[in-house]
Each structure stands twice: as structure tokens, then as C-alpha cells.
Amino acid sequence: MSLDATDRAIVAETQAGLPLTEEPYAAVAARLGLAEEELLARLRAMVERGVIRRVALAPNHYRLGMTANGMTVWDVEDDAAEALGARVGALDFVSHCYLRPRALPVWPYNLFAMVHGASRAEVEVKRAQIAGILGAACRGSDMLLSTRILKKTGLRLAGGRA
């Protein structure tokens, strides 16, 4: 899937985030010499083509007071994992939820859900809520607690330029 020069310029201009203004898309369009409507149409087209997944807020959980973060991992029966994963992913305190293949015999987990809270106790309560949703379909779980942020950015074009 290729990008034309304008689409590459849009990705390069927005990959570090949108400007914090009342009209961020208008500001980006002006910097690129485009009409705001064209910028928005091109972003929508890139989402529809799968070039970009979404335009979304990526909060710094630590700055929001959410200093306890845990990747909960679950060994869920394969025939129930997709439906249960969708329910877990819909929880407002889960920022990432996905299915991954197990790496037996060392790693039996196939469902991953990132949970954020202001304290470890809060994260444990949320983990218990997930366990309640998974019920008998869950054969085991663990939680990997974050100790620091190593990366807080999305994909970048090579050299940060178009």
C-alpha cells in the first residue's frame, strides 16, 4: 500500500500529535498548504484503506495520576476467547486488549488486557472484575506490573519526515 506525497506529508506532520489549538486540523492543513476539508478527507481515506488505524488521544497515564499499570494475562479457552476478549476490551479501564498465541509450555496465556489505576490496590480490583467476566473459561492468569515508561509514541516515518 503506497502513499502519495501529500499523504506522506500528512502522516509526517501529525505523527508526533496534533497541535493543541481550538482547530488542530485547520492548523495542520494550513502548515501543509491544504484546505481543512481535503486534510480531513485524506485522513478518512487512509483510515478506510487501513494505512492508519485511527486518529486518537494517547494519554500519558502517569501524568493523569494512573501510576499503577498492569498487563493482565489470561489463559482463556480458545472457543470463548474472542467473545470474552471483546467484553474485556470494552471496559473503560482497559486501554489495550488483544489475543496472542500461547508459547507453551512456558507461556500459557492468550488474552492480554492493559489495566490502569491510581494504586496497585485499584488495579487488583479491576483485575478481579476481568476475572469475573472470564469466569470458568479462564484457567489461569497473571499480571505484569509496569515500573516505568520506555516508549510513548506510535509508529514514525523513517527520519520523521515524508
Side-chain angles (χ1 to χ4, degrees):
M1 195 172 302
S2 63
L3 297 177
D4 67 19
T6 302
D7 284 346
R8 286 187 67 78
I10 291 168
V11 171
E13 186 65 32
T14 59
Q15 67 187 0
L18 295 173
L20 297 175
T21 67
E22 287 187 34
E23 297 182 357
Y25 296 108
V28 170
R31 285 199 298 256
L32 295 172
L34 301 172
E36 183 179 11
E37 296 76 24
E38 181 182 359
L39 172 78
L40 292 170
R42 283 177 169 272
L43 284 170
R44 278 191 295 274
M46 284 190 276
V47 169
E48 288 169 7
R49 292 191 333 256
V51 173
I52 57 177
R53 282 185 281 171
R54 65 186 182 279
V55 177
L57 178 70
N60 182 323
H61 297 95
Y62 286 82
R63 287 190 179 174
L64 294 173
M66 306 299 262
T67 56
N69 306 288
M71 177 60 76
T72 61
V73 293
W74 309 87
D75 176 12
V76 178
E77 293 175 6
D78 290 329
D79 62 345
E82 192 165 331
L84 289 170
R87 290 182 57 199
V88 170
L91 295 169
D92 63 357
F93 57 81
V94 172
S95 63
H96 303 76
C97 186
Y98 45 90
L99 294 171
R100 290 286 183 261
R102 295 176 178 89
L104 296 172
V106 177
W107 191 257
Y109 309 111
N110 60 339
L111 178 65
F112 296 64
M114 189 69 183
V115 176
H116 305 279
S119 68
R120 181 166 180 172
E122 182 182 343
V123 170
E124 289 289 355
V125 167
K126 292 173 177 179
R127 179 181 177 198
Q129 286 179 270
I130 294 172
I133 289 170
L134 299 177
C138 180
R139 298 177 292 226
S141 69
D142 204 345
M143 183 165 55
L144 311 170
L145 294 166
S146 298
T147 57
R148 62 189 170 118
I149 295 175
L150 298 176
K151 180 182 179 198
K152 194 64 177 173
T153 61
L155 178 66
R156 300 282 190 251
L157 293 177
R161 324 171 97 219

